[in-house]
Amino acid sequence: MEIQNVGIIGCGQMGSGIAQLCAQSGYTVLVSENRQELLQKGMVTIKASLDKDIKKQKLPVQEKDDIFARIIGTTNIDDFRDCDLVIEAIVEKLVLKKRIFSRLDQICPPCTLLASNTSSFQVGEMATMTKRPDKVLGLHFFNPVPAMKLVEIIKTPATSETTLKIGKEFGESLGKTVVMVQDSPGFIVNRLMTPQILNAVRMVESGIATKEDIDTAISLGLNHPIGPIALADLIGLDTLLTIANNIHQKLKDKQYAAPEMLKILVANGHLGRKTGRGFYQYE
Ligand code: NAD
């Protein structure tokens, strides 16, 4: 099966990045949001990201219009009926994700692959909402999608080898390196990264070091591009809190228990870069 038309549900931080990357890789892309103004916001994000690439001379200016022309926006999920692959990238809420999978299963032809970009839910739970669990997989991208080189492919007990092969080829066609992981809490990266971020927040809470010094220490001492507190703001504190809660609930391991400071920031709507304020303030 050849993938040509890619559908992406959700045009937030991740969905907009996945849409841009797919269009840059030559795919025809349909991307959705719930509301027209959110779709518009996502499209503006994609345009701004392409402009940034042009400015950095990573993208020839004449390619921008062709790339953008390959991305169509919609607020109607029924429009996904012609997609070969649909990637769900909505907010990290299982009940909503399950609803999307159930609806996609009704409207897409039986050959369409359905993928989730979830960070912390079992992909198998979404697959149970469909009559095609063999064609359901996780395609877990990293933020910012165009820049980050990795895609985790999540295999549920029902995912077929053919689906995994197509998923791998698709990830590679986007220029990514692909790793395979079982459908387990946090997969590889979030399982290992979440305790580090939460410990960094606990250190700020207890006054062991400032957030700036923790970020500097990890950047320079471990050669990470950004420190854990800045990374939390980049991921989105609401998303991080949900990831931590989900893994904690499944593994019952207290290193995944969310610190108060994180909960308070989220309760106050300070969600990181995407809202202009998290642990740090942004322009
Ligand atoms: P986000 O809040 O930036 O974007 C989510 C978008 O989904 C919002 O714009 C929202 O309006 C939209 N949405 C909600 N319900 C919808 C629906 N029914 N139809 C269409 N759009 C809908 O969140 P994000 O950071 O882009 O995360 C999206 C998914 O990707 C989550 O599952 C998250 O766990 C996962 N993820 C996030 C990161 C990260 O670093 N932020 C990394 C990997 C994976």
Side-chain angles (χ1 to χ4, degrees):
M1 177 199 177
E2 202 192 335
I3 293 182
Q4 289 176 338
N5 300 321
V6 180
I8 296 149
I9 312 241
C11 196
Q13 293 196 101
M14 298 303 291
S16 61
I18 299 168
Q20 178 192 332
L21 177 68
C22 290
Q24 277 183 290
S25 307
Y27 293 102
T28 303
V29 176
L30 180 69
V31 63
S32 78
E33 265 291 340
N34 267 342
R35 300 203 312 267
Q36 194 58 39
E37 66 269 27
L38 293 172
L39 182 62
Q40 197 53 38
K41 191 175 163 215
M43 292 295 199
V44 168
T45 304
I46 296 171
K47 258 194 180 142
S49 175
L50 290 172
D51 284 338
K52 220 162 140 191
D53 283 352
I54 291 169
K55 221 171 172 182
K56 288 186 189 161
Q57 298 188 330
K58 283 191 199 163
L59 180 73
V61 66
Q62 61 274 21
E63 284 184 22
K64 181 186 160 188
D65 288 347
D66 285 348
I67 292 169
F68 205 70
R70 282 199 284 275
I71 306 174
I72 295 163
T74 183
T75 53
N76 182 359
I77 195 166
D78 290 344
D79 291 344
F80 285 86
R81 71 178 81 82
D82 296 325
C83 293
D84 305 309
L85 164 70
V86 183
I87 304 169
E88 168 280 310
I90 68 162
V91 277
E92 190 73 344
K93 291 207 170 106
L94 187 58
V95 54
L96 298 182
K97 288 180 187 283
K98 280 178 148 181
R99 215 176 282 161
I100 298 271
F101 272 75
S102 169
R103 186 81 193 109
L104 287 173
D105 193 48
Q106 289 164 10
I107 59 180
C108 295
C111 57
T112 301
L113 300 190
L114 304 180
S116 175
N117 185 48
T118 182
S119 302
S120 57
F121 290 117
Q122 308 286 122
V123 177
E125 292 202 46
M126 292 163 235
T128 59
M129 303 305 291
T130 74
K131 293 190 187 71
R132 64 183 87 194
D134 57 312
K135 296 200 171 61
V136 176
L137 74 165
L139 285 177
H140 188 219
F141 291 83
F142 291 81
N143 188 14
V145 177
M148 298 297 281
K149 292 281 171 227
L150 183 69
V151 176
E152 288 179 328
I153 295 202
I154 294 108
K155 174 189 179 353
T156 81
T159 312
S160 73
E161 287 304 317
T162 308
T163 298
L164 291 175
K165 184 171 174 283
I166 299 169
K168 182 171 184 286
E169 284 167 4
F170 174 70
E172 287 170 352
S173 75
L174 303 176
K176 304 299 184 195
T177 296
V178 161
V179 293
M180 296 278 173
V181 55
Q182 299 292 334
D183 194 14
S184 52
F187 315 127
I188 299 174
V189 173
N190 285 336
R191 178 90 163 244
L192 294 172
M193 173 202 74
T194 306
Q196 188 192 59
I197 296 181
L198 299 183
N199 274 327
V201 176
R202 286 185 200 102
M203 286 171 75
V204 176
E205 262 179 345
S206 55
I208 290 174
T210 63
K211 56 182 184 294
E212 291 83 1
D213 280 355
I214 291 170
D215 279 345
T216 301
I218 295 300
S219 299
L220 301 184
L222 294 180
N223 205 16
H224 288 194
I226 58 173
I229 303 287
L231 180 57
D233 275 356
L234 180 68
I235 291 168
L237 301 187
D238 53 339
T239 302
L240 175 66
L241 180 60
T242 308
I243 293 170
N245 287 342
N246 287 339
I247 304 180
H248 184 229
Q249 197 189 7
K250 296 220 178 78
L251 298 181
K252 313 280 181 233
D253 180 339
K254 66 177 191 301
Q255 60 177 338
Y256 295 95
E260 280 310 304
M261 193 181 249
L262 177 62
K263 292 184 199 166
I264 291 167
L265 283 167
V266 172
N268 287 318
H270 302 316
L271 307 183
R273 278 180 182 268
K274 65 183 169 186
T275 57
R277 183 171 165 192
F279 287 98
Y280 294 98
Q281 299 242 31
Y282 302 88
E283 290 289 301

